[in-house]
Amino acid sequence: MMQQYKDIISTVDIQIQETDRQSANHYYKTASLLRSITGMFVIFAIVSLVFHLKMQDAAYVLMMISFLLFIWYRKTNSAKIRNILLKDCDPVRMLSFHTALISNSSRNKVWKLHFYNTCSALYYAGRFDDAKKVLALFSKYCSDNASRFSYELLWAKLSYYEKDEAALSAHCKRLEELAKMVHPTGAFRSLYTEAMTYPVLLQLENAREYQKIYDIFQQGYTSYYDSMLSEVKANYMMYQIAMAMGDAQTAKQHGDFVLKNGGSLWYRKAVERNG
């Protein structure tokens, strides 16, 4: 058990459900077994090549099958884990499963993603102060540019939530500088694009340009365009804007969507509080 994990669980309270612990352990053991089998077949293939064994062709086939099986298992299960948040909108369970999973982690190089996922789940669960506590650990253990980029993404999200214009501007400035160094791709490119729009959205909010904000979200402004999480986020923002414009009917439509699909996200809790 690595010190990073010990620090996380001693800093914030994360309840791990026993079913999640068992599932995470099963995933880790299966992935480790497949990795070991692949390693053995790689050695077998090398030995066959060096000593010109008759099993050479079979060794290559077994090596490729085991390697592809390992990749398929990792990719399939990674998608299932991501979908706890992206599809099921359940950051509470994401925290439970992910924390159980990283208890097995033994490589320093993967911790920047572990810290990012933990902070992100805490944010979406509405545990903003706890997210800040884990961010302090993030900066302590991960200081390379890619880690700093992820760190600033999370702070930009928190600053926008808190409507702290000065902090948001500072974090986005650092993000822009880091993006030139790390050249984000995939999901992180989308997250970066979203974060850099926060200052514009906040300025529009302060200027009460509600229709412009509503139009931005109605046109599909989100990080993950094909996820339920993105749809809930967009509907929550449109719910808030419709409320500010005094359009109760439109606000109810968006609020109902958030209540139906919001899982354990803080967006759903916020709509519930508003009645």
Side-chain angles (χ1 to χ4, degrees), residues 9-114:
I9 62 174
S10 65
T11 300
V12 295
D13 179 26
I14 299 176
Q15 298 296 318
I16 301 176
Q17 299 299 317
E18 186 57 33
T19 53
D20 291 331
R21 190 187 301 278
Q22 292 175 4
S23 296
N25 288 340
H26 179 267
Y27 166 76
Y28 178 77
K29 290 177 181 178
T30 304
S32 297
L33 177 61
L34 290 172
R35 186 187 298 113
S36 298
I37 292 173
T38 301
M40 287 191 299
F41 282 133
V42 168
I43 295 172
F44 180 37
I46 293 173
V47 171
S48 299
L49 176 64
V50 171
F51 293 99
H52 305 288
L53 301 180
K54 293 181 179 180
M55 298 179 175
Q56 196 173 125
D57 290 342
Y60 290 146
V61 171
L62 290 171
M63 180 184 70
M64 289 306 300
I65 290 174
S66 61
F67 176 73
L68 292 173
L69 182 60
F70 173 67
I71 295 298
W72 171 82
Y73 184 79
R74 285 283 301 270
K75 185 175 181 179
T76 301
N77 282 275
S78 294
K80 289 180 180 178
I81 295 167
R82 289 195 301 270
N83 281 340
I84 296 174
L85 181 60
L86 298 180
K87 183 178 178 181
D88 302 336
C89 297
D90 195 352
V92 173
R93 181 166 180 251
M94 181 68 173
L95 279 170
S96 172
F97 189 91
H98 185 260
T99 306
L101 190 65
I102 65 175
S103 68
N104 294 300
S105 184
S106 58
R107 294 183 297 160
N108 281 310
K109 67 179 183 179
V110 300
W111 274 95
K112 62 185 176 185
L113 187 57
H114 292 337

Side-chain angles (χ1 to χ4, degrees), residues 8 95 101 104 115 142 157 170 174 207 212 242 249 255:
I8 287 176
L95 279 170
L101 190 65
N104 294 300
F115 277 117
C142 308
K157 191 185 296 290
R174 287 194 285 271
K212 289 183 180 179
Q249 184 177 357

